[in-house]
Amino acid sequence: MGTESAGGESASDAVNKMPQVEESGLGEREIHERVERGQTNLVDNPTSHSLAQIIRSNVFTLFNGIIFVAMLMVMVTGSWRDSIFGLIIIVNTGIGIVTELKAKHTLDKLSILVASHPLVRRAGRNVEIDHDNIVLDDLLWIRSGEQVPADAEILHSWGLELDESMLTGESNTVRKQPGDSAYSGSNAVSGLALAQVSAVGKHGYAAKLTAQAKVYTTTVSDLNRGINKILEVLTFLVVPLCALLIWSQVHAVGGWSAAVSGGQWRQAVVSAVAGVVGMIPEGLVLLTSLNFAIAAMRLARKNTLVQELEAVETLARVDCLNLDKTGTITDGGIEFKTLLPVDSLPADGVGAEAGVGSGDDADDASDARGRVPREVTQALFDLANEENPNGTGRAVLEALSAQGYVVGQVDARMPFSSARKWSAIARKGDGVWYFGAPEVLLSAPAQISGTAQISGTAPVDETRFAALSAAVAQYANHGNRVLLIAHRAGDIPADFDSEPRLDSHALPVALALCAERVRDDAADTLLWFREQGVRCRVISGDNPATVGAIATQVRLCGDKPVRTMDARELPEDIAELAQILDNVDVLGRVMPEQKKAIVQALHRDDHVVAMTGDGVNDTLAIKEADLGIAMGNAAPATKAVAQVVLVDSKFSHLPDVVARGRQVMANMERVASLFLVKTAYSIIISLGVVLTGILFPYLPRHITYIGALTIGIPAFVLALAPNTRRYIPGFLRRVITFSLPSGIAIGVSVLLSSWFLPEIMQWDMHVKFNQRSLFTINAIIVFALGIVVLAQVARPLLSWRGALVALFAAAGVIGAFIPFVASFFALQLPSGGSLVATLAALAIGLLILATCQLIANLVRRNMPGVRLPHDRRMSRS
């Protein structure tokens, strides 16, 4: 019986099932007074950026500041056409703000669907309210499967056990009695309690330990880390290079006196700005945040809430997926099949078959193997009839209620706990009844020796014990969830309520067979992951054989046999555990702290791990994983620490989640390569101009025109294209190994043209016409080589990608023949000798580009793990 949320009940059912208590709770006037004093549970912890944060993050950036200053410098010179690059600020900022606002609206609306709604008692009524509306002194119901929303003092307890591991790091559950404290952030594992709120909002224990509670949800972005390193380097380069460019351009026109008196300072400033603008990958940062936001919106349309935008990157890197069976592979629905007396099982355990349906069929099955005494069936009903029964309990209650069973006498109760894996009830004069995992209940020595006997059942000797164990295994192998009922006659132990303990003299009475409903889409989803190279493992608290049978049913390993293991045999040493996990597909009887250890072991082998779950027993592992994925019907504690929530709890959404992350990351490598090629050649050209004192080889408007057609617009299209390649760490290294050789080649080609063409063509560079001729030739070189680089990044070209490259190449050429465009961007078509010089310079540039990339490929062969971001072997169109 794995820990499950009570999501199967309606809100009205949950409210009506609360025990009757004398306390009435706060009245309307008292609540209003506390709200006026600010004594509410509101904590400033938004699910997404506020409007002010979105505007600030998009407007006040380093690059926007640099471009804005550069634009003002050009406008001061009066050359307003060369300041057209300043529109980048408006376009980038506008797109970024609009996209993030749409994402915020979508995500905030979706997050309402997964918000917790605690149950409080007010004015004598039990009502569900929003988490933020809890006030000081409210009477709060703490229910199994929920996270405690505010600090409180226990008034009444019906077997409440809290998992405080999120706060203390201790995985053992703590049983709470009246007068004890329950801290916000702890999780109710079992039982029920009524408590009075003692601290709310920022004064609560969880609010003070937010950093600890969220310690594993801060996503480390390889992409953002790489981009930030690029920005840091450029920050140190841009300002000094701008000053040096102005100085070199002034001297190129005859010094400061001539520049000021003749107005040449204007040209010097414009030229310097051309170098600075080219160095700035202005669209790269925008496209990164834009892609994250668009991915989150697209996933939201499929009922998938991304609670951290940076988690989109982690989606792309996942190569190990740990699945919690209940609620993931199965839909969480449980069906009670039959109850079998242990004395009617085959003597050798062979021939045990799966039970049949509930109701009359169950009675027929019991008749075939020996009728179960009514007192045993009644005990099963009462064992399942907890205040907040889990899925198995609800299935038992539904089936036995249909047969006419009603609530019996229960003098004391030990609710089910996922840590113990059993529950118990006690009756005066009848002793104690246990219900839980057979492996646990059959582990006591006295049971094996058969020193006690249950009324109406045969003594259990060692032979019968072995047969019972064999029968349990066979039923489990057929995919049943097998649970054991055991009984200890005699008086109720004095410490029954305070010390959960399994009596070693309790003897097995009957086996209860249940089964889970497997999701229709589970097999297809697992097939997709196998094809994508993601290793899936099922980690469950249930019997390994049962879980293994379900894993085989959904073809977890394809045609290969599923390898199962009991988690109680796992070593505590992480290194040993990592070695064992390589040969295990299914783990059963896993404790919550073991799930966390499994994730740690996979991390030891450098795997990127995603963990799915729906219960509080999955919280530790979800926090530890690189990507935590919670089901929409999961416990609030589980959803609180997950980066992704599948709102409608459909396992089939996971391929969309992973594929969307892969699309973003693989395409961002393509995009980054384009932007950094421009940065590289702009730096090379600027350094060449400063060192040799020549005029800057083109105008800012040239680089605006070229950048839009070879980088900006194509990058936007490529960033949104389909791509399923699994992301591999090393973004910065791969991008640089491609962009640097290409950038060097373009930069050297332009410098050679600027150094030698004026002498070859015998141009006087003080003449404006000759300057424009040289600038046009250099612009053509940059454009043509830029198209070649775009074609390399966009590969494979035998698709729409080839048409994309051809479209922008044609657009650049056609634009030069349109009078308005040619005049605005200062494009002067070469003719006669200039045309010959242009073709020669272009041929030399292509040769240099091919040579640089050939050398880079030779170097790359000696750098294992480095593949180009456009490599065919690692991408799909």
Side-chain angles (χ1 to χ4, degrees):
M1 290 179 8
T3 301
E4 301 172 26
S5 67
E9 294 179 284
S10 67
S12 59
D13 290 340
V15 170
N16 295 332
K17 279 193 173 184
M18 293 301 106
Q20 295 296 321
V21 293
E22 296 180 358
E23 292 85 354
S24 61
L26 299 177
E28 185 175 344
R29 183 177 61 82
E30 296 169 307
I31 295 171
H32 181 72
E33 290 176 353
R34 286 161 174 77
V35 172
E36 289 292 319
R37 293 197 295 264
Q39 295 175 328
T40 67
N41 207 38
L42 180 65
V43 179
D44 186 17
N45 185 27
T47 58
S48 59
H49 287 169
S50 66
L51 174 61
Q53 288 174 318
I54 290 174
I55 294 176
R56 185 168 57 248
S57 64
N58 281 279
V59 174
F60 301 104
T61 66
L62 173 64
F63 280 179
N64 276 1
I66 294 174
I67 293 175
F68 182 72
V69 171
M71 181 185 68
L72 290 180
M73 291 172 61
V74 173
M75 294 185 72
V76 167
T77 68
S79 182
W80 65 272
R81 293 183 181 181
D82 284 309
S83 65
I84 192 67
F85 64 84
L87 291 176
I88 294 172
I89 297 178
I90 300 174
V91 175
N92 284 2
T93 303
I95 292 176
I97 290 175
V98 170
T99 304
E100 287 200 43
L101 283 177
K102 283 187 176 181
K104 170 183 169 57
H105 175 72
T106 303
L107 299 182
D108 285 352
K109 183 171 64 175
L110 194 59
S111 66
I112 294 173
L113 301 178
V114 297
S116 61
H117 298 281
L119 183 67
V120 297
R121 185 167 179 78
R122 291 177 172 178
R125 296 175 56 249
N126 298 321
V127 293
E128 284 190 339
I129 62 174
D130 289 338
H131 173 280
D132 295 343
N133 292 338
I134 295 174
V135 299
L136 189 66
D137 297 324
D138 249 333
L139 295 185
L140 172 69
W141 289 103
I142 302 176
R143 298 176 288 182
S144 175
E146 294 185 342
Q147 186 179 56
V148 180
D151 292 1
E153 180 180 341
I154 305 297
L155 300 180
H156 303 285
S157 176
W158 292 267
L160 178 68
E161 291 190 30
L162 294 182
D163 174 9
E164 298 179 340
S165 58
M166 186 181 291
L167 306 176
T168 66
E170 296 293 332
S171 59
N172 294 330
T173 58
V174 180
R175 193 170 180 83
K176 295 294 182 177
Q177 302 292 345
D180 292 344
S181 295
Y183 294 110
S184 54
S186 54
N187 308 310
V189 175
S190 62
L192 176 73
L194 180 66
Q196 185 172 32
V197 175
S198 57
V200 291
K202 64 181 181 180
H203 302 291
Y205 193 73
K208 296 176 182 178
L209 295 177
T210 299
Q212 178 179 345
K214 292 285 187 181
V215 64
Y216 296 114
T217 60
T218 300
T219 306
V220 179
S221 171
D222 192 39
L223 174 60
N224 283 335
R225 186 168 53 238
I227 291 176
N228 287 335
K229 287 181 181 179
I230 295 169
L231 301 188
E232 289 172 8
V233 173
L234 291 179
T235 301
F236 288 104
L237 286 177
V238 166
V239 176
L241 263 180
C242 184
L244 288 173
L245 280 171
I246 293 175
W247 176 83
S248 68
Q249 296 306 288
V250 167
H251 281 270
V253 296
W256 285 100
S257 298
V260 173
S261 61
Q264 298 297 324
W265 64 272
R266 293 183 175 87
Q267 181 62 42
V269 171
V270 171
S271 298
V273 169
V276 171
V277 171
M279 281 183 258
I280 302 173
E282 64 278 346
L284 183 56
V285 178
L286 167 72
L287 277 178
T288 303
S289 57
L290 192 65
N291 266 279
F292 284 163
I294 289 175
M297 283 192 293
R298 286 178 172 175
L299 290 172
R301 295 191 191 107
K302 297 187 177 182
N303 285 321
T304 301
L305 172 62
V306 179
Q307 302 196 109
E308 292 183 31
L309 290 183
E310 289 78 7
V312 172
E313 176 183 323
T314 311
L315 300 175
R317 296 159 48 198
V318 167
D319 63 351
C320 281
L321 176 61
N322 292 344
L323 302 168
D324 180 45
K325 172 180 63 65
T326 304
T328 303
I329 295 179
T330 62
D331 62 8
I334 305 294
E335 177 188 14
F336 175 67
K337 299 177 72 174
T338 190
L339 188 63
L340 304 175
V342 297
D343 57 0
S344 66
L345 297 175
D348 56 358
V350 177
E353 299 175 355
V356 293
S358 56
D360 296 335
D361 290 338
D363 287 336
D364 293 341
S366 297
D367 288 337
R369 298 176 177 86
R371 178 168 292 278
V372 177
R374 184 174 181 84
E375 64 176 293
V376 177
T377 308
Q378 180 64 53
L380 174 60
F381 183 93
D382 293 332
L383 283 161
N385 191 36
E386 298 183 356
E387 293 293 345
N388 286 281
N390 59 17
T392 302
R394 290 194 297 270
V396 170
L397 291 174
E398 181 181 354
L400 296 185
S401 294
Q403 297 180 34
Y405 285 88
V406 296
V407 177
Q409 175 189 352
V410 175
D411 296 310
R413 178 181 297 277
M414 187 72 63
F416 176 80
S417 163
S418 61
R420 290 191 308 269
K421 300 193 182 302
W422 55 266
S423 60
I425 59 171
R427 297 189 177 112
K428 294 179 181 178
D430 186 33
V432 180
W433 293 85
Y434 296 92
F435 181 48
E439 301 94 314
V440 177
L441 297 183
L442 291 175
S443 61
Q447 295 168 331
I448 301 176
S449 61
T451 55
Q453 182 175 344
I454 309 298
S455 175
T457 66
V460 182
D461 56 21
E462 292 188 23
T463 301
R464 295 296 300 171
F465 179 87
L468 178 58
S469 298
V472 167
Q474 288 222 16
Y475 285 127
N477 287 336
H478 282 83
N480 293 284
R481 175 179 288 188
V482 186
L483 298 154
L484 178 67
I485 301 173
H487 182 243
R488 170 68 163 94
D491 297 330
I492 302 175
D495 58 355
F496 180 83
D497 287 330
S498 58
E499 292 293 332
R501 186 174 63 248
L502 178 63
D503 194 315
S504 61
H505 292 85
L507 290 182
V509 178
L511 293 178
L513 302 186
C514 298
E516 294 186 68
R517 294 193 297 268
V518 176
R519 292 185 183 275
D520 296 335
D521 52 16
D524 291 338
T525 304
L526 291 171
L527 173 62
W528 185 90
F529 279 113
R530 286 200 307 274
E531 292 175 344
Q532 295 300 317
V534 178
R535 172 77 180 277
C536 295
R537 292 180 179 84
V538 179
I539 299 175
S540 174
D542 287 337
N543 186 301
T546 303
V547 184
I550 294 177
T552 300
Q553 181 180 342
V554 296
R555 294 175 55 81
L556 175 70
C557 301
D559 296 328
K560 299 179 181 178
V562 174
R563 296 165 294 183
T564 64
M565 184 175 181
D566 192 315
R568 291 175 295 182
E569 301 172 8
L570 292 176
E572 294 185 2
D573 182 74
I574 297 297
E576 294 180 30
L577 178 58
Q579 294 179 350
I580 291 176
L581 288 177
D582 283 338
N583 301 310
V584 176
D585 303 306
V586 170
L587 283 163
R589 297 304 179 205
V590 183
M591 303 294 287
E593 62 272 15
Q594 286 182 308
K595 292 186 178 183
K596 176 181 176 180
I598 289 168
V599 175
Q600 291 174 330
L602 293 171
H603 280 160
R604 184 182 177 88
D605 290 339
D606 296 325
H607 291 295
V608 180
V609 185
M611 176 76 198
T612 70
D614 66 343
V616 292
N617 58 328
D618 302 314
T619 302
L620 289 176
I622 285 178
K623 286 169 58 182
E624 182 72 20
D626 299 281
L627 182 70
I629 303 172
M631 297 297 162
N633 61 355
T638 309
K639 291 183 287 193
V641 299
Q643 288 104 332
V644 174
V645 179
L646 304 181
V647 179
D648 55 6
S649 301
K650 288 187 177 179
F651 177 46
S652 57
H653 288 325
L654 283 182
D656 289 329
V657 172
V658 175
R660 189 65 62 192
R662 290 182 172 185
Q663 171 191 322
V664 169
M665 291 308 301
N667 288 337
M668 282 310 300
E669 282 200 21
R670 296 177 184 267
V671 168
S673 298
L674 285 177
F675 278 103
L676 293 187
V677 166
K678 180 170 77 83
T679 299
Y681 70 66
S682 296
I683 293 174
I684 296 296
I685 292 171
S686 297
L687 289 175
V689 167
V690 168
L691 294 176
T692 59
I694 62 173
L695 287 173
F696 200 86
Y698 46 74
L699 299 173
R701 69 187 89 169
H702 289 153
I703 204 63
T704 300
Y705 183 78
I706 295 168
L709 294 175
T710 63
I711 299 171
I713 303 175
F716 185 83
V717 176
L718 290 174
L720 302 179
N723 199 320
T724 58
R725 172 174 66 87
R726 183 171 67 84
Y727 177 72
I728 301 172
F731 156 81
L732 185 58
R733 181 176 58 176
R734 288 193 300 274
V735 167
I736 288 178
T737 56
F738 173 78
S739 59
L740 192 57
S742 300
I744 290 174
I746 296 175
V748 169
S749 299
V750 171
L751 287 175
L752 290 176
S753 170
S754 301
W755 288 336
F756 298 109
L757 269 184
E759 184 175 346
I760 294 172
M761 302 298 293
Q762 297 182 350
W763 284 338
D764 181 358
M765 294 310 296
H766 292 91
V767 178
K768 289 288 185 182
F769 181 82
N770 292 335
Q771 290 179 7
R772 289 191 63 179
S773 296
L774 180 62
F775 291 170
T776 299
I777 292 174
N778 288 333
I780 292 173
I781 293 173
V782 175
F783 175 75
L785 298 184
I787 288 293
V788 172
V789 172
L790 173 61
Q792 292 174 329
V793 168
R795 289 185 301 182
L797 298 178
L798 296 177
S799 64
W800 63 268
R801 300 177 188 275
L804 176 76
V805 175
L807 174 64
F808 286 106
V813 175
I814 293 172
F817 287 93
I818 300 175
F820 171 76
V821 175
S823 174
F824 189 89
F825 288 103
L827 302 175
Q828 179 178 305
L829 291 173
S831 60
S834 294
L835 179 58
V836 175
T838 301
L839 295 176
L842 189 55
I844 293 172
L846 291 171
L847 180 61
I848 294 173
L849 178 62
T851 302
C852 287
Q853 292 184 344
L854 177 61
I855 295 172
N857 288 333
L858 293 175
V859 173
R860 198 177 294 119
R861 290 176 184 175
N862 297 319
M863 297 174 64
V866 177
R867 300 268 178 85
L868 295 184
H870 56 273
D871 196 321
R872 301 174 194 232
R873 293 169 295 177
M874 300 186 65
S875 62
R876 294 185 181 181
S877 299

